[in-house]
């Protein structure tokens, strides 16, 4: 009998893990999900790819692009960015095993690039403070470029020497057309729906709104999963839960791992979606970010209708925006994420749109959502380890501090507190026995 794998976690990571387990070790294909015709790409020559802005000094500034933007001062920067590049080419390589993103960029490119550009970038990508984020975790390519070539720019220009892995036809197209982003005609929810439709006929059982209470390793090596409505057994367990949620369900013998998971802090983000009718944006592009020195509470605003007008709906032309707030500054700006009033967040988002984009009318539609503890975002320090993200990882009570937990790369959104719990027969070696 084939072993059973339980995947815990109700987000896209859990669904993706089930998808790979169900289909075997073949390269993934969008076509088999029936979504290839629904993809909405944003190529490199699109305004949403070319035009990105910063809001600083109470004004919008287009980020420099092209040679002209490097050779002359472009607000909000006081000098040409060419000199920041020269500084990197001449600066010695760092020797520390890690440092904050801000310290790294300040050392290589100067204070202004660190304080304005990279501060804003880290707020937009990680909702975090670049003075606390690990450069080795968040920007491993830049870290390795400096270590291998002494200069970040030289390292990026010369490359790592690694060959490109196998690519699908769609990924080759995306690279050739320089996609900066993409969506689906029915919204990103259709990806989750397509994964579910793919999994159910292949013997995957999906249990929605079934909170996982406890994991226990049995004497025979199998796992017992205690749910709100009963128990189930599995040969292997893959976790796609947030770190702190996983810590609460681990068995007693895995307490060293649970302690380390609890030490990974996470930040909350308020996302407010607004739709306006009969207005025009003052600029056309992807959106704008806001440095913490300008307004710590507001991370940035994405101009959704520029990249994806297909989602505007029928009728008169509209402007759709996504306002992101809080992050590492949530507590000082809005208080407890679990108790903040949605009306307060909506009011703050509307004020930001009015002040920064000049849109005076009230929105015709709005959605307010607080993603609590959504992004793990801190720099590894003494004591408990910390990380910018925790990827899904097989659970083992004998694991005390895996390298993936100590120094993962990238960032990920957390899953639900009450995950669905699928399990799927595993007929290939993708899930090694724990």
């Amino acid at each position: 009998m084939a072993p059973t794998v339980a995947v815990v976690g109700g987000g896209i990571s859990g669904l993706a893990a089930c998808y790979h387990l169900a289909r075997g070790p073949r390269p993934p294909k969008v076509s088999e999900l029936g979504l290839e015709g629904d993809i909405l790409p944003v190529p490199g020559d699109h305004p949403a790819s070319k035009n990105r802005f910063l809001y600083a000094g109470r004004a919008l500034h287009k980020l420099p692009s092209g040679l002209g933007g490097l050779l002359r001062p472009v607000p909000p920067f006081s000098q040409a960015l060419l000199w920041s590049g020269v500084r990197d080419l001449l600066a010695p390589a760092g020797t520390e095993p890690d440092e904050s993103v801000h310290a790294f960029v300040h050392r290589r490119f100067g204070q202004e690039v660190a304080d304005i550009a990279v501060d804003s970038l880290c707020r937009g990508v990680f909702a975090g403070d670049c003075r606390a984020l690990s450069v080795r975790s968040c920007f491993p390519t830049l870290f390795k470029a400096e270590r291998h070539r002494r200069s970040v720019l030289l390292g990026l220009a010369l490359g790592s020497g690694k060959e490109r892995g196998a690519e699908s036809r769609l990924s080759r197209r995306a690279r050739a057309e320089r996609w900066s982003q993409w969506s689906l005609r029915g919204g990103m929810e259709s990806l989750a729906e397509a994964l579910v439709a793919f999994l159910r006929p292949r013997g995957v059982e999906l249990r929605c709104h079934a909170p996982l209470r406890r994991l226990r390793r049995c004497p025979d090596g199998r796992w017992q999963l205690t749910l709100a409505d009963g128990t189930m057994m599995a040969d292997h367990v893959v976790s796609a839960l947030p770190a702190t949620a996983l810590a609460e369900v681990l068995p007693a013998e895995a307490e060293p791992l649970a302690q380390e998971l609890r030490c990974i802090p996470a930040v909350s983000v308020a996302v407010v979606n607004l739709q306006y009718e009969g207005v025009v944006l003052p600029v056309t592009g992807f959106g704008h970010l806001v440095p913490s020195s300008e307004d710590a509470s507001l991370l940035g605003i994405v101009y959704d209708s520029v990249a994806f007008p297909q989602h505007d709906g029928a009728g008169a032309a509209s402007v759709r925006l996504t306002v992101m707030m809080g992050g590492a500054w949530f507590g000082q700006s809005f208080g407890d994420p679990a108790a903040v009033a949605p009306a307060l967040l909506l009011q703050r988002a509307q004020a930001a749109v009015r002040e920064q984009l000049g849109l005076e009318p009230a929105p015709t539609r709005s959605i307010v959502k607080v993603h609590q503890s959504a992004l793990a975002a801190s720099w590894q320090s003494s004591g408990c380890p910390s990380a910018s993200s925790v990827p899904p990882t097989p659970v083992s009570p004998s694991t005390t501090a895996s390298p993936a937990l100590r120094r993962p790369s990238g960032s990920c959104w957390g899953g639900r507190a009450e995950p669905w719990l699928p399990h799927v027969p595993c007929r290939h070696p993708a899930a090694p026995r724990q």
Side-chain angles (χ1 to χ4, degrees):
M1 182 178 178
T4 297
V5 179
V7 178
V8 295
I12 191 65
S13 296
L15 278 172
C18 287
Y19 170 74
H20 285 285
L21 287 168
R23 70 188 302 280
R26 295 173 289 131
K29 293 183 178 180
V30 176
S31 57
E32 68 186 6
L33 294 177
L35 295 174
E36 195 165 12
D38 294 332
I39 293 176
L40 303 175
V42 180
D45 58 356
H46 192 283
S49 298
K50 297 188 298 181
N51 303 332
R52 295 168 186 250
F53 299 85
L54 289 176
Y55 184 81
R58 301 184 62 82
L60 284 174
H61 305 281
K62 184 177 180 294
L63 285 173
S65 61
L67 188 60
L70 299 177
L71 297 178
R72 64 177 184 273
V74 177
F77 305 103
S78 62
Q79 65 175 4
L81 292 179
L82 173 67
W83 298 112
S84 297
V86 171
R87 176 181 176 130
D88 171 69
L89 293 173
L90 298 177
T95 58
E96 295 297 322
D98 199 359
E99 60 187 311
S100 73
V101 175
H102 185 275
F104 178 88
V105 174
H106 186 183
R107 178 170 57 80
R108 299 223 60 87
F109 298 99
Q111 182 170 353
E112 209 170 45
V113 174
D115 287 350
I116 300 176
V118 172
D119 175 277
S120 303
L121 175 66
C122 288
R123 283 160 57 81
V125 175
F126 303 103
D129 186 349
C130 65
R131 296 158 185 81
L133 290 168
S134 157
V135 69
R136 187 173 174 182
S137 296
C138 298
F139 298 99
T141 301
L142 304 186
F143 180 82
K144 292 175 182 176
E146 183 201 35
R147 293 308 163 95
H148 293 164
R149 306 290 187 180
R150 186 187 56 78
S151 159
V152 173
L153 296 180
L154 279 177
L156 295 177
L158 297 175
S160 63
K162 294 183 179 179
E163 293 184 4
R164 192 184 303 274
E167 288 186 298
S168 67
R169 180 170 57 85
L170 188 64
S171 64
R172 288 193 298 270
R173 177 192 165 196
R175 183 161 53 87
E177 297 177 2
R178 298 181 294 114
W179 293 5
S180 63
Q181 55 183 315
W182 59 273
S183 187
L184 295 168
R185 198 167 301 279
M188 294 308 294
E189 182 183 10
S190 57
L191 175 59
E193 293 171 345
L195 285 168
V196 169
F198 177 88
L199 293 171
R200 288 194 189 279
R202 288 165 175 80
V204 178
E205 179 184 350
L206 302 176
R207 300 193 182 187
C208 299
H209 309 294
L212 176 63
R213 303 299 191 197
R214 180 62 56 182
L215 281 170
R216 184 176 74 87
R217 191 74 179 268
C218 300
D220 62 358
R222 303 184 75 211
W223 290 90
Q224 181 185 69
L225 295 87
T226 301
L227 311 177
D229 58 352
T231 62
M232 63 170 291
M233 301 297 296
D235 298 285
H236 312 289
V237 178
V238 175
S239 173
L241 292 172
T244 53
L246 176 59
E248 299 310 309
V249 301
L250 288 174
E253 58 267 30
E255 183 57 26
L257 172 60
Q259 290 180 2
E260 297 198 32
L261 292 172
R262 294 188 190 101
C263 288
I264 300 175
V267 298
S268 299
V269 178
V271 178
V272 180
N273 302 106
L274 302 172
Q275 185 163 9
Y276 294 83
E277 305 291 346
V279 299
V280 178
L281 287 170
V283 294
T284 301
F286 174 81
H288 69 260
L289 295 173
V290 183
S292 58
S293 58
E294 183 76 24
D295 183 348
S297 68
L298 185 75
L299 304 175
I301 302 178
V302 180
Y303 314 155
D304 299 301
S305 54
V306 174
F308 304 110
Q310 301 91 336
H311 292 159
D312 288 348
S318 63
V319 169
R320 291 178 301 106
L321 305 170
T322 297
V323 183
M324 300 170 292
M325 300 180 292
W329 299 264
F330 200 106
Q332 72 184 52
S333 302
F334 305 109
D336 183 358
V340 63
L344 172 64
L345 298 174
L346 178 59
Q347 181 184 30
R348 179 67 190 89
Q350 287 183 243
V353 171
R354 190 165 51 247
E355 295 163 8
Q356 300 179 11
L357 294 173
L359 303 188
E360 295 290 344
T364 55
R365 295 186 62 195
S366 63
I367 302 173
V368 180
K369 176 69 176 178
V370 177
H371 298 274
Q372 297 183 41
S373 300
L375 283 165
S378 74
W379 183 29
Q380 182 171 356
S381 59
S382 58
C384 290
S386 60
S388 60
S389 69
V390 178
T393 181
V395 178
S396 170
S398 62
T399 303
T400 56
S402 71
L405 290 173
R406 285 195 177 274
R407 195 177 297 283
S409 60
S411 66
C412 64
W413 290 89
R416 299 178 188 172
E418 296 189 356
W420 47 257
L421 184 72
H423 67 270
V424 55
C426 176
R427 296 183 174 85
H428 61 83
R433 182 173 297 277
Q434 299 295 319

